[in-house]
Amino acid sequence: MQDTYTVERLDRPSTYYTAKKKRKYGRDQPDDRDGAGNNAEEDDPLKDATSLYVGNLSFYTTEEQIHELFSKCGEIKRLVMGLDRFQKTPCGFCFVEYYTHQDALDCMKYIGGTKLDERVIRTDLDVGFQEGRQYGRGKSGGQVRDEYRDEFDPGRGGYGRAIDAERRKEEEEYGAGK
Amino acid sequence: MADYDRRRRGGGGGGGGGGHFNNRKRRYRDDDYEDRRPQRRRYEEPLAVTVRKQVLSIAESPVRRVEDDVATIAKALAENYFDHDLTSGFVDLAVQLTVEQPLKIPFVAAIVLLANVQKPELTVDVLSKVGESLQRRLDLGEWREVKLYLRFLACLQGIFEGDGIFTILEELFSRAADLQMKSSEDSLGLELVKVILMTIPYAMSSSASGFETQASALLEKTDIIASTAHPLEALVDPFPSAEVGAPTSSESALALLQKHMQEEAKSSWELSCLPRPWKGNRSSEEEDALNAAQKHPFPQVAVPQVVQNGARAIFPEVYFSVYGEQEIETVPGPTDTAALLIRDALSDTINVLDFNRMIAAKFLTDVDCYFAPDTFVKRATPFDKLREVTGDKATWKPEDVIVDAAFGQLMQLPSPEHKLVYYHSVLTETCKLAPAAVAPSLGRAIRFLYRNVDRLDLELSQRFLDWFAHHLSNFGFTWKWTEWVDDVNLPEVHPKKAFIIDSLDKEIRLSFSKRIKGTLPVPYQALISEAKDKDAPDFKYNDESTPFAAEGKEIAQLIRRKAGNEEFTPIFEKIEQDATASGLSDPAHASTDAYVTSICWVGSKSLSHVLACIERCQERLLALSSTSPTCRKQIITSVMDYWKDQTGVGVVILDKLLNYQILTPASILEWVLIDNVARGTLLAKTWSYELVSHTTSKVAGRVRSIVGAIRQPGLPGEQQGELQQALARELETMKNLFSIIQDAAVSIRDGNQDEMMESSDALRAQEEDLLKAWGGKWARVFQRKYAVEDSWVREELAKPIPEPETKVDNDAKMEEVTKAEDAEGENGAMVDDVDLIA
């Protein structure tokens, strides 16, 4: 594929994977500058990706809703809901797998950043679902972002859990309304 | 590198990268990190970078005079020609902008035109690079890009020696004439004529003069090709006549374009909508300099002797507008010579920029910047204010023009270039960019389509429906339902009522029933049954009065605890014995019903649940379905009966059962169109259309993937033969399936279901007519779908098989990839199955 455009492409993966790689191999590793970039491109794990990570879902959004929207980009092979590690209830993300790479790219371009269930959802190319990845990695079982959020989000369980726990503790100690 | 990078460190030199919404996490470091860092030495931006930015944003600002910007950039380029970075950067950018941001072509060309006065060397560089790119696209048969490069060159007509652009246009015409001579069904010739007709106006509005004769001579020749109706035109008519074989109601875009250009020729090529950025307020000296500047030969470009077509099939186009019925003209009418010029530039912009819908939407909302001043009224002028426009000033609303262009694509038959959802997303983004201006325009577009929904081609009314529900889901599900409230009382099979029912159903699929009910006026509430509120439908065997209630419950228990196959057998036997005893004609149906209904119920928690369930029961389901066609249909009945209030879920399940080959395509088609068609009532339901069109596109996808496999370079002869046989088999299957649909739909259209009709005299004559109309619509759509597939296969097989790759040439490789992707198309699902067939 042509690699420069006069306009940014929406079907490029986020920095999640490149950043992860950097973390893994340390920041001081020589990177693209001395030609290592060519190698990296060859074993780019996302170059044929057919899966997407979908984020910022409401906890109440169902598989059927997701299917209805995402099948506009092609037939869906598999849909895996992200679950709270302990309660096994949806915790606001999922993996959508298509049959083709092109469908996944189209989904990035046409669906990522639009609304589902009245929330703007986020899509990112993904290497594919593996058992275990469906669970939130936050301390309390959900996604990490729902631990410390200090805004109230009714679609994602209100306040962040850690913050909520703290508030409750305070209320217990000092009485409500303080 | 992307120039529209909105990330903090984006722009100029940054690496490529993620969508801007992928990266909005603000790390705590971001805020105070920079304060602590010692300030860098002041950095002066290299000229190449500055000019790049200026060129990229040319004409984008409504407050700057673009003529001045053009002149400034031309001057900088001419004076710094020695700066290699600057010069080569500009040349590359000019080539790229032409095909990526086509609205800017006249402006970029004007830069070259002005710079040519001082530095003709720069022109030589530009022409050679553009010539190369044009040649490559010509060879590949990428006609849109050919058209755009020719447009760029046409804008430069004033600097060419001799006839300039007209020579190559003549050559293109002779190819078109050859093609048309060979076959009246040829559509590539039409495309070439379109390219010619879309190039002439840009040459005639350029700084060149004295080419009227050449233009008229060409127009005379193109007339016969452009004005003759193409046999496929009737197939792509958005408003087909109900009578079979009646002439098309819409005029072909090409015929219109031909007329427009002939009009323009008569009025000495006024072409008032096209911009002339090279003009400016120049003194006569400067004017002379422009005329006296060095001339150049037209780039060496050869039109291949045998022209071919790229990846996309060509069909005749129809000029579609949603603003045709208004008292005040808010978009150029079909008789206006600006209509297709503007539409063409906007359609290309939309299709070329599918990789960034936000930017596509931005160009659209800035449409008034890219055409002559005063072509449109001021942005966001309310419709009612248009009455106050006096004199012969234009009343065209920019918002209407862009919404019209987007719908023109969404409603293109047989299919637009990209997935339909792309056009949804462009409309969503334009609405987000300028809500107050665009929303009322969309409102009028929706009213037009709704008003005409009964005349609209069925496939298009389905697209409208799908877009409408999806669009509302992005904007809080708000719509003025009150204005259609009278239509709630229409019969269910009336196209308007059907539209309302199905829109609500689609809204609910994207949301949930309580939410949608909350957006509706009272009269609509009754359209949403209480049963839709339930998360999972009831299990009929929980009701003791249902026959085989006890057995049904037992089966559900067995499925739930993943019991072995042998445990089911006695229960099935019992049901069948009891059924036989009570005189049921087909006892196996009773057990199948109990089994499938139980699977649905046990799996009702989510799609994953039901799929897991089906997978576990796959063996038994396959065994059941293979016993008889009626048994397969019983499976469909049980699924759709269980999900009767949420038919969308049922359709997905049937789709999966088809993948597992538990159902056959024929069983689905017959179930919908014969067994349960209820004199045509079912044809008014979107879910039945979805079911049938999913099924046919799966079948077609299978054919396409075999064709793709046959066309693999370097395939051994033996395998080739096997694949050819498989293809012949699949083509036969496809043909038979389409004729099932055709026969059934035609018989409803022609009212051949007499015996049934007599038995229901309650049905009023009006409803009978509506049902016939549905039959006609279905027949049309699937006849077209078959014709499209059939001609695709023929054209694809006629193309030369690509040589096995020896040397990796980058462009060729890219082409390979796009082809492969296109072949897989929407039906990638079937690719896996090719091995099974072969």
Side-chain angles (χ1 to χ4, degrees), chain B residues 77-78 80-95 112 115-116 119-133 152-153 156 159-160 294 296-297 299:
Chain B
L77 283 166
N80 299 283
Y81 181 68
F82 58 84
D83 180 343
H84 177 75
D85 285 352
L86 173 68
T87 313
S88 68
F90 173 76
V91 172
D92 290 343
L93 186 57
V95 170
V112 178
N116 183 50
K119 234 356 154 201
E121 294 88 336
L122 179 68
T123 315
V124 175
D125 298 345
V126 171
L127 291 181
S128 110
K129 210 50 185 264
V130 170
E132 277 170 32
S133 305
F152 181 79
L153 294 170
L156 290 174
I159 60 162
F160 292 128
Q294 190 184 321
H296 300 265

Side-chain angles (χ1 to χ4, degrees), chain B residues 282-304:
Chain B
R282 221 168 282 108
S283 65
S284 59
E285 276 165 56
E286 286 170 307
E287 204 70 47
D288 290 342
L290 199 60
N291 291 329
Q294 190 184 321
K295 303 270 180 192
H296 300 265
F298 192 80
Q300 284 285 330
V301 180
V303 182

